[in-house]
Amino acid sequence: MKNAQDKPADYAFLEKAARNIGAADAKIIAASDIVVENRVSLKCRAGCISYGKKLTCPPYVPTPDEFRKILLEYHSALLVKFISPAEAEPDVICSIYKYWLDPAAPADKKEQAEKFWADHRTGTGSFAPAMLELERIAFNAGNPFALAFVNGSCRLCETCNTKGGICIHPTRARIPEHAVGVNMVATAEKAGMPIRFPVEGHPELMALLLID
């Protein structure tokens, strides 16, 4: 096996492939530069409406401690940035979940929040398939353990088969990075391709491909 420092040049074709399928930016990084924190998955439990409802989300996925051990078996990863076409006014985006879910929210704010999510879901529908395509490209280039992670919870089923405990789309469903504790804001910053947070204008979304 080649040394880890040789990997970025070997995998440069994946950066190009990512841009060709619509990514705003892409960069090969060392797997050791992926920032994993226990507090990230805590946010899933405390602030996400998908918690416990999807097999690709906690508590059904590896814990941050488990994922740290998995990362030790990888040398490299591809960090991918996508841009959502959705946009909301600053006073709406700062409380987007409240205006979206709270029945008592002002009608105009609720309408803007609903439009934001509709535009976001429509415009980002190709991002997960794009990451699967990058996984396929990496796999066929000789990386049998290539595995994509996606931004946002799985959208494949209206209701996930959590009661049965088995995903009915295992070849297409992928885990969001934050579900296993990846701090994507810190990881992107460390990689020299920072994202705007808090969100301004069009949200910048990060996805990850483990390669080796």
Side-chain angles (χ1 to χ4, degrees), residues 102-114:
D102 186 354
D108 60 331
K109 296 289 194 282
K110 179 175 286 292
E111 183 179 354
Q112 290 182 57
E114 289 174 348

Side-chain angles (χ1 to χ4, degrees), residues 88 92-101 112-114 116-117:
V92 173
I93 197 68
C94 67
S95 299
I96 193 73
Y97 273 97
K98 175 183 178 181
Y99 292 136
W100 182 40
L101 299 173
Q112 290 182 57
E114 289 174 348
F116 172 86
W117 286 118

Side-chain angles (χ1 to χ4, degrees), residues 47-206:
C48 182
I49 60 175
S50 293
Y51 180 81
K53 297 180 180 179
K54 300 185 179 184
L55 292 169
T56 52
C57 290
Y60 304 107
V61 297
T63 66
D65 283 339
E66 291 171 336
F67 189 63
R68 286 187 186 95
K69 295 178 182 178
I70 292 170
L71 274 182
L72 293 175
E73 300 178 4
Y74 284 87
H75 283 116
S76 305
L78 179 70
L79 189 61
V80 185
K81 178 185 287 189
F82 296 99
I83 306 296
S84 170
E87 186 174 19
E89 295 297 325
D91 63 334
V92 173
I93 197 68
C94 67
S95 299
I96 193 73
Y97 273 97
K98 175 183 178 181
Y99 292 136
W100 182 40
L101 299 173
D102 186 354
D108 60 331
K109 296 289 194 282
K110 179 175 286 292
E111 183 179 354
Q112 290 182 57
E114 289 174 348
K115 182 180 187 307
F116 172 86
W117 286 118
D119 291 347
H120 182 75
R121 288 181 64 86
T122 299
T124 62
S126 64
F127 294 172
M131 292 306 299
L132 288 177
E133 175 63 10
L134 291 172
E135 180 186 296
R136 183 192 69 81
I137 292 171
F139 178 91
N140 288 331
N143 300 279
F145 294 102
L147 184 65
F149 288 75
V150 297
N151 180 279
S153 60
C154 184
R155 305 179 187 177
L156 293 175
C157 299
E158 185 76 21
T159 302
C160 183
N161 186 35
T162 53
K163 290 184 178 180
I166 299 175
C167 176
I168 64 174
H169 296 294
T171 62
R172 298 165 58 199
R174 292 296 182 270
I175 299 169
E177 309 93 348
H178 54 270
V180 292
V182 178
N183 183 332
M184 291 302 283
V185 174
T187 300
E189 181 75 31
K190 192 173 183 178
M193 48 189 295
I195 57 176
R196 295 188 303 272
F197 190 83
V199 173
E200 296 178 8
H202 299 281
E204 297 176 321
L205 310 176
M206 305 302 295

